Amino acid sequence: MPRVLVLFAHPRLEKSRTNRALLRYVPQRPDLTLRDLYELYPDFNVRVPDEQAQLLAHDIIVWQHPLYWYSAPPLVKQWIDLVLTFGWAYGPGGTALRGKVLFHAITSGGAEAAYQADGFHGFTLGEFLRPLQRTATLCGMTWLPPFAVQGSHRLTDAALDEAGARYGRLLDGLADGTLRPEALAGHALLNHALTQVPQP
Amino acid sequence: MNDFLVQAAVYLAAAIVCVPVAKRLGMGSVLGYLTAGIVIGPFLLGYVGEEGADVMHAAEFGVVMMLFLVGLELEAGRFWRMRRTILGSGLAQLLLTAGACALAARSLGFTWAAAAAAALAVAMSSTAIALQSLKEKGLLDSSGGQLSFAVLLFQDIAVIPILAILPLLATTSVSTDAHAAGALGHLPAWQQTLAVLGAVGIVVAIGRYVIVPVLRVVAETRLRELFTATALLIVVGIALLMQLVGLSPALGTFLAGVVLATSEFKHELESDLDPFKGLLLGLFFMGVGASIDFRLIAAAPGRVALLTIGAVAIKAAVLYGVGRSARLTLDQNLLFTLGLSQVGEFAFVLFAFIAQLGLLTPEWTATLMAVTALSMTVTPLLVLLHERLLAPRLGTRRAPARAPDAVDERHRVIIAGFSHFGSTVGRFLRANGVEATILDNDSDRVALLRRMGFKVYYGDATRHDLLEAAGAREADVLVSAVDGLEVSEALVHTAQRHFPHLRILVRARHRGEAYELLDRSVTGVYRDHLDTSIRMGVDVLRLLGHRGHAAYRAGQDFARYDEAALARLASSRHDAGRYISDVRGEIALQEALLKADREHDPAAGDHAWDSEEMRQQLGSPAPAR
């Protein structure tokens, strides 16, 4: 059974409706670990051995964070710079992460329609995440499309709950093994892949 | 030689036995030495008797040295700033006390001269006892503490004119016992006073134009022991000089100390002479204790007791009045009054001098010395009573009487101790919208804080009823920012016992305190200096050219490493299994730390953003990322 690691990064959680809602739906189960990075490292002093150990102990890595300026919050980049070391995550002998699965669970103010080639931002979400994607694949990981909760400024409470529930089912399905990563690849957003999966 | 060894052994052993016991009982070292003297004196164990007189002479030198150090420590600037208080309150205390005591003495049948002399001696308070207890409670900077200091300072200065006046009084007395003189004994009175002033001038001149250059030359040799020898020579030489002229050695050395206080050698002199002073003073007090005439006391216990109570009462009354006119609040005034209500050690010296001048009969001298010693015993008891009985009552009266009309909110944070550390925590919390309840035992500070709108309770934070009143049951966090391990340990103990839900964050002044607190399962231990000294170290690195972020991260790593080392060493230090004295313990501590640093290397493993390894492996200058 795959073990799931949710790496959560939000610099100002008390001001975020959306991420708080999503967090409420993260399932509590022994094979799922949630790490709140801005709580663990308020001074950005990432403890590399701890993080590497966590990565080794899990099979599916989920980055949950808001989209700031088309990317992840600063601590995520700091984490990547420090934790994915040469000779461990990549490079000669760097096979620690090979075969693991990784995707990002993203919240954005802009709506899905804005993140299209002909949309307001001119590129898709997937395109904006290329650097993060390549980071994962360089380390031998399987990259899955992002799970996105978009247009967050305008979401009603009901919509938020629905998105949260979907997120929870996604995580549960992955940890149960009922949702196979191979089946999820190839879509623009994981949200689309999910609608094709029968709801329990 | 044999005799001397026996004597030395007896005195030292007595000191070592009695003084620690006295300190344990909270009675101070002076009383310990006195008790030691009494114990080995002719009335109890009888190890020393008449030869005690010789010891006294040697030990009087301790007083001479003490006055040199008093002069040395006299900070001219501070003295100038407090001049009004010193002159005003100090003079008032001395004159009123002396006056009242002189009247009392007259009613007992003294001559005017004897009454005046004895009264001046009784008006003295004990610098050692008063300042020591203030220091222990951390209340030197409170208004009561400052006034105590001013009055004691004035007394120290007043010694000079008193020593000059006493011979004048002697010449009006009938007794012909005066051997005190020397070269001046045969001069008429006014010329004697002139001689005193002349000697003062000579000492000042010697101090400035002879001693300082000599010290400079000696300092250049860089031989520590030579400097110490010079320091001793200064004291001995001046004392000798004054004795030849027939004046008080103590006066001369005091003046020399004042002159040297502005020189660059002040601190060296202080530290070199301090151990000598301590030992000799101890010897002095033991000698005094040995010479207390218990036969006299036994013969008239009522009289002695009455005299003691009377003296203390008169002094306390005058002190209280002086405190009131200096506008001290009630409990600051009580601190001041009780702290100085005894007759001080300098009275011993004055009485001895007075007896030499023939102003007092030997019996009265012995009686008054006994009264002095007894009054010094009474003070700690009075202070204890005040702490236990009076202060708590005053404390609750000061509880916020102006209860707000709104519901009395309990705050989630309690801060005990609002000096530098605690106040910074409090201000930070306040700036972030968190109000804390504050506990402090300095009444002036409490008054100020209340004016600034803080919710403050006055009193001893280690009492659980006070914590309860401050809302400890409903609070989440207790911050202990008090000064001193004993108090913080007591606070932790009380909190853990009565309010186990409270998260306790404790300030530790240094590693040693941190260890003790960790032993008590306190998880939040915050060493005063740690963050700041590391921050300074980081800044030093940057000044040397290190890059800012790297230096900063090095600082973070070091802090983390040191905290881990603290926890590790805290538990392992008990394995040492042998007793290490405090000083030794500090060194052993540093040794353990430096060893651990070598083993664990705080700077190891930092390869972040370092492409060195990568370039080596790939043999190319262009890294993959």
Side-chain angles (χ1 to χ4, degrees), chain A residues 41 43-48 78 80-82 84 86-87 90 92 138, chain B residues 549 552-553 556-557 560 606-609 613-615 617-618 624-625:
Chain A
Y41 308 115
D43 54 2
F44 275 49
N45 198 353
V46 179
R47 288 163 116 109
V48 175
Q78 174 98 344
I80 289 174
D81 282 7
L82 291 176
L84 303 180
F86 180 72
Y90 72 103
L138 180 70
Chain B
H549 188 62
Y552 178 73
R553 282 184 45 247
Q556 286 180 314
D557 288 339
R560 184 195 293 170
D606 183 6
H607 297 298
W609 302 298
E613 211 184 313
M614 202 185 301
R615 279 201 295 276
Q617 288 250 8
L618 301 177
R625 54 171 179 161

Side-chain angles (χ1 to χ4, degrees), chain A:
Chain A
M1 288 287 115
R3 294 154 301 173
V4 178
L5 174 64
V6 179
L7 295 173
F8 174 66
H10 199 302
R12 209 101 196 261
L13 184 60
E14 65 271 21
K15 304 274 187 194
S16 165
R17 257 174 89 221
T18 321
N19 273 283
R20 275 208 309 275
L22 288 182
L23 277 181
R24 276 202 296 277
Y25 286 91
V26 172
Q28 304 249 28
R29 43 192 297 169
D31 52 0
L32 188 145
T33 311
L34 173 67
R35 285 173 76 73
D36 185 341
L37 291 184
Y38 271 91
E39 272 296 288
L40 286 167
Y41 308 115
D43 54 2
F44 275 49
N45 198 353
V46 179
R47 288 163 116 109
V48 175
D50 294 2
E51 294 303 312
Q52 289 182 341
Q54 288 287 342
L55 287 171
L56 286 175
H58 295 81
D59 312 298
I60 302 180
I61 319 294
V62 182
W63 273 110
Q64 180 187 335
H65 61 83
L67 194 73
Y68 289 153
W69 285 106
Y70 313 110
S71 189
L75 185 53
V76 175
K77 186 64 165 60
Q78 174 98 344
W79 185 102
I80 289 174
D81 282 7
L82 291 176
V83 176
L84 303 180
T85 53
F86 180 72
W88 184 82
Y90 72 103
T95 55
L97 300 175
R98 203 156 279 180
K100 297 187 195 282
V101 172
L102 184 138
F103 70 93
H104 286 242
I106 289 177
T107 66
S108 74
E112 193 179 331
Y115 286 87
Q116 304 300 335
D118 51 357
F120 180 68
H121 294 300
F123 299 96
T124 64
L125 193 56
E127 286 170 302
F128 281 121
L129 297 182
R130 289 276 186 261
L132 293 165
Q133 176 177 359
R134 180 56 185 151
T135 302
T137 55
L138 180 70
C139 298
M141 301 177 83
T142 306
W143 169 263
L144 292 182
F147 173 87
V149 180
Q150 299 188 276
S152 63
H153 302 315
R154 299 222 181 85
L155 285 176
T156 60
D157 285 341
L160 263 183
D161 279 335
E162 213 238 296
R166 194 174 294 191
Y167 182 50
R169 280 198 301 274
L170 170 64
L171 294 175
D172 266 327
L174 285 168
D176 287 335
T178 53
L179 280 176
R180 316 299 316 275
E182 308 85 72
L184 298 173
H187 295 269
L189 293 178
L190 274 186
N191 311 43
H192 303 163
L194 282 177
T195 53
Q196 290 163 18
V197 176
Q199 320 288 338

